């Protein structure tokens, strides 16, 4: 989400991007209620509250919900921008690598 935020923020600005992310999160919480713990602020999506809930969540459900957010955000941004941002967003996603808990300092 951070990579997508940084890339889309350059073109859309924080207010527009916040509104889009709020819409995506609203849709996501209908299917995945635990996503209500995510907060959208001017600096991006904050996962602190969700991280606290992670031990109680099914890992597959968490993965599915986060994948939904990424896919839905890409879909909405693509629709709203006539797919102009899509190639750059995909490029940013390809640069992202999953890190283990040790590499994140033990944070989820």
């Amino acid at each position: 989400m951070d990579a997508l935020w940084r890339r889309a923020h350059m073109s859309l600005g924080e207010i527009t991007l916040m509104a889009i992310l709020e819409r995506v999160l609203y849709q996501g919480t209908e299917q995945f209620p635990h996503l209500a713990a995510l907060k959208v602020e001017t600096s991006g999506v904050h996962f602190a509250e969700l991280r606290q809930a992670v031990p109680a969540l099914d890992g597959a459900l968490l993965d599915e919900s986060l994948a939904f957010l990424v896919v839905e955000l890409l879909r909405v941004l693509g629709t709203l921008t006539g797919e102009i941002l899509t190639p750059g967003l995909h490029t940013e996603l390809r640069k992202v690598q999953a890190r283990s808990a040790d590499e994140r300092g033990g944070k989820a």
Side-chain angles (χ1 to χ4, degrees), residues 41-59:
E41 297 180 5
T42 57
S43 59
V45 180
H46 294 269
F47 287 78
E49 289 182 36
L50 183 60
R51 283 187 184 107
Q52 293 174 351
V54 164
L57 294 174
D58 173 61

Side-chain angles (χ1 to χ4, degrees), residues 38-87:
L38 297 177
K39 303 297 178 219
V40 179
E41 297 180 5
T42 57
S43 59
V45 180
H46 294 269
F47 287 78
E49 289 182 36
L50 183 60
R51 283 187 184 107
Q52 293 174 351
V54 164
L57 294 174
D58 173 61
L61 179 65
L62 180 62
D63 288 347
E64 182 182 353
S65 66
L66 296 177
F68 171 86
L69 283 181
V70 170
V71 170
E72 186 64 10
L73 180 57
L74 288 170
R75 187 192 69 73
V76 171
L77 289 172
T79 299
L80 293 174
T81 65
E83 302 296 335
I84 290 172
L85 294 181
T86 303

